[in-house]
Structures are given as structure tokens and as C-alpha cells.
Amino acid sequence: MHKTIIRRLLIMIPQLFAISVLMFAIAYNIPGDALTGLTENPAITYERIQEMRYELGLLDPWPMQYGRWISGIVLRGDFGFSITHSRPAIEVIGERASNTFQLALLTTVLTYAIALPLGIIAGRYNDKFIDRVIGVYTYLAMAMPTIVFALINLLIFGFRLQWFPIRGSVYINAVPGTFDFFLSRMHHMILPAITAALLATIGIIQYLRGEIIRYKSSDFVTTARSKGVPERKLYTRHIFRNALIPMASNIGFIIVGLLAGAIFIETIFSFPGMGRLFLDSITLRDFTTANALIMLFAALTAIGALLSDIILTIVDPRIRIK
Amino acid sequence: MGPIKEEAAFSAEAPSLARIIWKEIYTDKVALIALIVFSTIMVSTMVLGFTIDEDFARRSYLVFRDQGPSEQFFLGTDDGGRDMVAMIILGARNSILIGFAVTILGSILGIAIGLVSGFYGGQVDNIIMRITDTWLMLPTLMIIILFVSLIPNYQVWQFVGILVIFAWMGTTRIIRAMALQQRNLDYVSASKTLGTRNIVIMVREVLPNLIPVITVNLTLGLAGNMGVETGLTFLGFGLPFGTPSLGRLIAMAARPAALQFRMWQWLPAALLIFTLMLSVYCVGQAVQRAADVRQRRAQ
């Protein structure tokens, strides 16, 4: 298996290279750069801006700029210097990354906490009333656009009931490291996390329900039943054990999906994470940061998929990844 | 004699896919209602959309801005004093049309690539699937936003084109898997032996067998693509500025004052896109069951 993992990681390298070239070429062709904002400033002449562009290498042809950028990443792990923030891009991202990762982690925990019981109930009592109710929920969640659900939740629980803060990731006065800080963070994250989790559960619920129904009529369950195994034990020992195996492997894809949806959730809840940072970077023409973010997300997507495969082999020895 | 005759007549004429889908939808009352709701919204926005003077509706009248529902403005006005009823009709029409355009064009691209990849197999398949996998790795939303910023003053068709570039991979993977199964079947070998050209086998012989899968894919893709358009326009990286869209109307809720106190500006659009997507999904589920004999509910 180690060989497989190493090979999968090696395949990712040319893929990421291809993506980096494509993306850099696009970003280079977007009108404007990080210094465009300065042209509005009457104190700085156009000649001075051009001079700065020359010093920063912004006037070089794109293959040259690309070469500089990619060699910086490969040789020194340096994702470039964000002119807008006057700091290395990786530093700017680092500050926001922990916010996004914490939110993604909380959302994942909530997703499983909601989806597993519902999926088990729907499968155990399929076509009964409770299954119909859960079915209606999955239909509604599937059709619900993230932005609409997030706005409605923000309006009801943030503005009207005032149960949760309407923006930010932590109270300004909270001291890092204290328990209050942790509580404040949770308080800020719980509404965006529940919003995203309620929409992310559908896949797990439907899959788990299908698996349980499939195992119900399988031979080994019939055998166990005919041998007199009590119905309750039949479910806990035989059916759930088998049906829950693939759920663990879903985690990689869940995290990838959450990162993709982070832009919407973070925008609506004014949560300072990487998704918002990306939108701000595009608006400010800070392509160093934007490019670094895209590369990071692409790498995370690939790693998420690989993670799913690895977990699947660990929990289910019958499956070997090749 | 009777029963045999009947059976012969039955097997001679297999029911068409359209008939099977219709029967399935008719049996599932939820899907039937959903189909009626969706068709009603679609037809009425298309018809009403053409009766509205677009230039007039899009012009802003600051005197009337942010007005609540009244007799003159049934659903109030937006922040530019435009009539919300007209904006919703035009917005829904644009969102539906773009959803259809992206879905159809993306599917055609996806089917073509998947069919070639699966039918030829081997090295061709290998190369195409590597590219597809790389494409799937892209953080789509971010790249689309990057693309949209690339073109200053872009047109609607350019936006559709950008979405299509990122809407084919799912279809390709499904079609390719199906085509891989079909390529080794006897009818393909027989046709090859007879000297039929590959392109003819692919389009005239293999493709018809994949139509049930494609239909399912189209229906479910439609809802997804309407959602993508709305989301991007909401963020400000979707339809060109000034083009009415449900996403743009929902984006008015980004300001806390509008979110709380001027709900007529965004809630109708939000509920409309939800209704549209829900009805498409409900119909899509029935279509999916119709495409798989084991799942059909209709007799």
C-alpha cells in the first residue's frame, strides 16, 4: 500500500504543474495588477508606477514570471510576495487557513453527527413514516441553494433571535488560549457550520440507507435470522457494521466539498477564512495570494480523494487500491 | 390463442423512453406536481418576459427606490427603484435559459469526450481520462471567478462558455464507463466486421443505448447549473452587471438592512430559485427511476 500511496502522490506532481501553468496564464492576462489601485493616487506619477512595476518584475513576459514563481515554490517553498498586503502570500493565507480548517472540521463532525443516525433510521425503517420524513428532508436539502439557506439562517438566528453573532470568527476582546476564547470561537462558528452540515448530509444519508436496505435481504442476514439471532442484534452486529464501512471513506470527499462551499458560507457569515481571502484577492488584483490559494485548494482536493481511498483500504481489508 | 397474440403484440412494440418516463412521472404524484409547477414557471416567465419592455424595466428611478409592496408595485421596488415583479420575471427567465444552455452544451461536450474515450479504450482512453482527472482537481468555483475577471465587459454567451468549460467532466466519466461496457458487446463487433465506420457506430449504434443515462444526467444537471449561475452572480462574478438574474436579486440581501427590513427585495427570488431546483430534482428522481427497470414504480 505504501507503494500505491507514493505513486498516487507522484501522479499529483505533473497534475499540479499543469494546473499551475494554466492558472498563471489566466491570471497574467487579467487586466490590472496589484499596483493599478495606485493610479488613482495623484501623489504618484505614472512613470513612478511603471518604475515600480519594472522593479517588481511585473513587466516581464509571463513565462519568465511563471518560471520565477514556480522555482520559488519548488526550491524554497516560497509562494511569492503579496504586494497588496506587503507580506509573503503564505503568511497572509496562514492566518486565514486555520479559520477555514476549524470551520471545516466542526462542519464535518456535525455532518456525521446528523447524517449517521438519520441514515440508519431511514434504512432500518425503510418506507415507514419516519423514512418518508427523512426523505422529504433530503429532497429539500438537495434543492436548497447554499446562499438561500445561509441567508435565511443568518436572518432568523443571527438578526432576529440574536442567538449567534452575525459576523467574524471570534470576539475582539477575547484572549487567545483562554477557555472564553474557545467558547467565543465556537459561538461564531456554530451557525455557519450547522448551515453547511445540514446541506452536506444528503449523500451520506442516501448512501447509508441504500446499503442497509441492500444488506437486509442479503444471504448472511437471512442465515443469521434463521438461526434465531434477535432482530436488534441482527442490525447492530451484522447490518450496521457492514453498512457503516464505506461511510468512513467519504470523509475525504466531504472535506473537499466543504472547502469548495467555503466561499459562499464565509461571504454570507462574514467569516475571515480562505474563501473570503480569495474573493478579496481577486477584487484587489492580488494574484500572488489568489494563485497560491488555488494551488492549495487543488492540492487539498487531490489529497482528500487519496485520503478517502486510504481510509477505505484500512477499514475494509477486502478492497485493495492499485 | 388470445393471450399469445397479446404477448406477441406487446413484445413487437417496446414502449418508447418518453412513454416510460411519462408513466413514471404520472404514477409519482409529487413528480407530476413538480413538473406542472416547473412548466408553469417556465412558460409564464418566458411569455411574460417578452411582454416586458426590458430597457424600461432595467432603468432606475431613484424616486421610487426601496419601496415596500403597494398597489403600484406588487412586490415593491429594489434599491434602484425598479419594479420587483418585472425584475423577478426577467431574472427567472435568464436563470432558466442559462441553466438550459449550460446543461445542454456541457452534456454534448461531455458525451462526445466520454464516448470517444470509452469506445476507443486503450491509450486514447488513458490520455483522455488523465486530462479529465486533472480537470476534476481544479477548484472549479475559483477558476471560474478567475476567468470571469479575465474578460472586461463580458457578454452573456461568454459567461455560458466559461461555465460549459467546467461542466463536462461528470458526464464524461459516466458516458465513458457505459461506452466501455458497450464496446465489447456483440452488436458492436458485428457492426465493425461489416465495415461500419467508427463514428457511425458511436453515434448511431452505441449512443442510443446510453440515452436513458443521458436523460437522467440532463435533468439533474439542470438544477445544479441553475444553482451555479445563481451562486456566482450572487458573489458578483456571474452574469454581466445590469443583466437581471435571480442571483443578483438575492445579492441585495448582502446588506443587513435589506436582509432584515426589505425582505421583498430578495426573499421572492430566493424562494423562486428554491422552488425551481426542488421541482427539477423531483422530476429528475422520477426520470432516474424510469431509466432503471428495477426501480420503476409504474406498471
Side-chain angles (χ1 to χ4, degrees):
Chain A
M1 193 165 101
H2 300 289
K3 262 187 195 164
T4 324
I5 295 171
I6 289 167
R7 221 193 48 204
R8 286 277 294 268
L9 286 171
L10 286 178
I11 292 174
M12 276 165 55
I13 294 172
Q15 283 179 327
L16 286 173
F17 258 112
I19 291 173
S20 74
V21 175
L22 175 80
M23 194 189 60
F24 200 88
I26 301 171
Y28 178 81
N29 283 301
I30 296 179
D33 58 36
L35 298 183
T36 309
L38 289 180
T39 49
E40 315 255 312
N41 189 340
I44 305 169
T45 60
Y46 179 74
E47 284 72 27
R48 176 64 195 129
I49 294 175
Q50 281 302 86
E51 222 170 87
M52 282 160 78
R53 282 193 175 128
Y54 180 77
E55 282 164 17
L56 293 165
L58 292 175
L59 297 176
D60 296 336
W62 81 262
M64 236 171 107
Q65 289 194 37
Y66 174 78
R68 228 171 16 225
W69 179 69
I70 199 78
S71 60
I73 295 174
V74 175
L75 300 177
R76 301 185 299 275
D78 173 13
F79 280 83
F81 191 82
S82 162
I83 300 165
T84 315
H85 295 275
S86 307
R87 277 190 304 163
I90 202 78
E91 249 181 67
V92 181
I93 294 172
E95 274 171 15
R96 304 292 197 91
S98 72
N99 281 342
T100 298
F101 287 141
Q102 284 175 24
L103 185 61
L105 185 69
L106 183 62
T107 313
T108 314
V109 171
L110 287 174
T111 305
Y112 276 92
I114 299 167
L116 292 184
L118 289 186
I120 286 174
I121 292 169
R124 169 78 171 79
Y125 304 102
N126 67 309
D127 299 325
K128 301 267 164 52
F129 177 72
I130 186 92
D131 177 38
R132 295 273 155 81
V133 174
I134 295 171
V136 169
Y137 158 65
T138 55
Y139 261 64
L140 294 179
M142 193 155 60
M144 182 65 86
T146 312
I147 48 169
V148 173
F149 194 51
L151 283 171
I152 291 174
N153 281 346
L154 180 67
L155 175 65
I156 296 175
F157 300 104
F159 282 102
R160 287 285 148 81
L161 298 174
Q162 302 195 339
W163 288 357
F164 302 103
I166 50 164
R167 61 165 57 86
S169 66
V170 70
Y171 291 118
I172 313 165
N173 296 331
V175 185
T178 57
F179 186 65
D180 280 349
F181 185 83
F182 173 75
L183 275 186
S184 166
R185 277 207 81 95
M186 288 303 273
H187 196 202
H188 278 83
M189 288 198 302
I190 203 92
L191 188 58
I194 283 195
T195 304
L198 281 173
L199 299 180
T201 50
I202 318 156
I204 304 180
I205 294 179
Q206 287 182 338
Y207 195 81
L208 187 55
R209 176 181 181 272
E211 287 284 288
I212 291 175
I213 293 172
R214 194 166 66 85
Y215 278 118
K216 267 186 189 176
S217 56
S218 65
D219 290 343
F220 74 88
V221 171
T222 315
T223 311
R225 188 176 279 134
S226 63
K227 277 163 69 182
V229 177
E231 200 68 6
R232 225 176 63 85
K233 230 176 189 174
L234 207 61
Y235 276 97
T236 51
R237 287 281 172 79
H238 297 264
I239 296 176
F240 294 158
R241 267 198 185 180
N242 281 293
L244 284 170
I245 286 174
M247 298 308 129
S249 67
N250 250 333
I251 197 158
F253 293 111
I254 296 267
I255 294 173
V256 168
L258 291 178
L259 287 176
I263 292 185
F264 294 116
I265 292 285
E266 288 176 6
T267 303
I268 290 173
F269 291 101
S270 307
F271 188 84
M274 290 193 288
R276 285 254 307 176
L277 179 64
F278 177 76
L279 287 185
D280 293 344
S281 307
I282 292 283
T283 317
L284 297 168
R285 299 281 182 258
D286 178 8
F287 295 122
T288 324
T289 311
N291 283 349
L293 278 171
I294 292 183
M295 292 312 293
L296 186 66
F297 273 62
L300 286 174
T301 310
I303 291 170
L306 179 61
L307 191 70
S308 277
D309 286 351
I310 294 172
I311 294 176
L312 192 60
T313 17
I314 295 171
V315 291
D316 189 350
R318 287 170 302 177
I319 297 164
R320 299 257 179 274
I321 50 175
K322 281 182 276 181
Chain B
M1 276 306 273
I4 297 169
K5 219 177 182 179
E6 247 178 57
E7 209 182 289
F10 182 74
S11 61
E13 213 183 318
S16 70
L17 182 70
R19 223 188 145 70
I20 295 172
I21 291 175
W22 169 244
K23 259 170 103 178
E24 188 66 38
I25 291 176
Y26 192 77
T27 314
D28 182 356
K29 291 298 169 223
V30 176
L32 187 65
I33 294 168
L35 185 66
I36 294 169
V37 168
F38 182 74
S39 325
T40 313
I41 295 176
M42 200 173 93
V43 171
S44 54
T45 51
M46 295 299 144
V47 172
L48 291 172
F50 287 106
T51 62
I52 293 172
D53 180 358
E54 236 187 290
D55 288 332
F56 179 76
R58 280 162 60 173
R59 212 170 297 153
S60 67
Y61 296 91
L62 292 178
V63 204
F64 296 128
R65 71 186 248 230
D66 297 333
Q67 283 191 4
S70 61
E71 268 174 40
Q72 192 188 356
F73 302 110
F74 182 60
L75 283 175
T77 59
D78 71 359
D79 50 359
R82 301 176 198 90
D83 184 6
M84 284 304 297
V85 175
M87 294 313 281
I88 285 177
I89 290 170
L90 291 175
R93 186 194 66 180
N94 288 343
S95 294
I96 293 173
L97 284 180
I98 286 169
F100 268 103
V102 173
T103 310
I104 292 170
L105 294 175
S107 298
I108 292 174
L109 191 62
I111 291 165
I113 297 174
L115 206 54
V116 168
S117 184
F119 183 78
Y120 285 103
Q123 211 50 37
V124 177
D125 182 45
N126 235 334
I127 293 168
I128 292 180
M129 286 327 281
R130 261 301 121 70
I131 295 171
T132 311
D133 284 343
T134 310
W135 214 252
L136 271 171
M137 256 171 76
L138 291 171
T140 318
L141 198 62
M142 291 175 144
I143 302 268
I144 293 176
I145 291 173
L146 204 61
F147 253 108
V148 169
S149 333
L150 169 70
I151 314 167
N153 306 319
Y154 56 93
Q155 308 290 314
V156 173
W157 64 267
Q158 285 170 317
F159 177 61
V160 170
I162 293 169
L163 288 191
V164 168
I165 297 175
F166 297 97
W168 55 272
M169 297 86 82
T171 316
T172 296
R173 284 173 75 103
I174 294 169
I175 295 297
R176 175 241 177 201
M178 300 290 293
L180 268 180
Q181 289 172 11
Q182 301 278 326
R183 70 187 286 252
N184 294 323
L185 295 184
D186 287 346
Y187 79 95
V188 174
S189 315
S191 201
K192 273 187 180 163
T193 320
L194 284 170
T196 322
R197 283 189 307 157
N198 281 338
I199 180 84
V200 178
I201 300 181
M202 269 191 275
V203 177
R204 303 257 313 255
E205 290 163 10
V206 176
L207 193 59
N209 286 317
L210 307 184
I211 282 180
V213 185
I214 294 171
T215 323
V216 175
N217 214 287
L218 278 176
T219 350
L220 296 179
L222 176 63
N225 287 327
M226 285 196 303
V228 169
E229 182 275 317
T230 315
L232 279 166
T233 314
F234 173 83
L235 292 176
F237 294 94
L239 284 172
F241 192 75
T243 312
S245 142
L246 293 179
R248 174 137 303 131
L249 295 177
I250 298 171
M252 273 191 272
R255 267 161 305 167
L259 180 69
Q260 289 185 82
F261 307 116
R262 296 199 294 272
M263 279 163 63
W264 68 86
Q265 288 185 336
W266 61 274
L267 197 60
L271 293 178
L272 187 59
I273 185 73
F274 174 56
T275 312
L276 281 171
M277 283 173 70
L278 185 62
S279 54
V280 174
Y281 272 125
C282 288
V283 175
Q285 295 288 334
V287 173
Q288 192 163 27
R289 285 199 307 270
D292 184 352
V293 186
R294 284 164 303 177
Q295 290 185 22
R296 274 178 213 159
R297 285 186 196 163
Q299 292 306 305

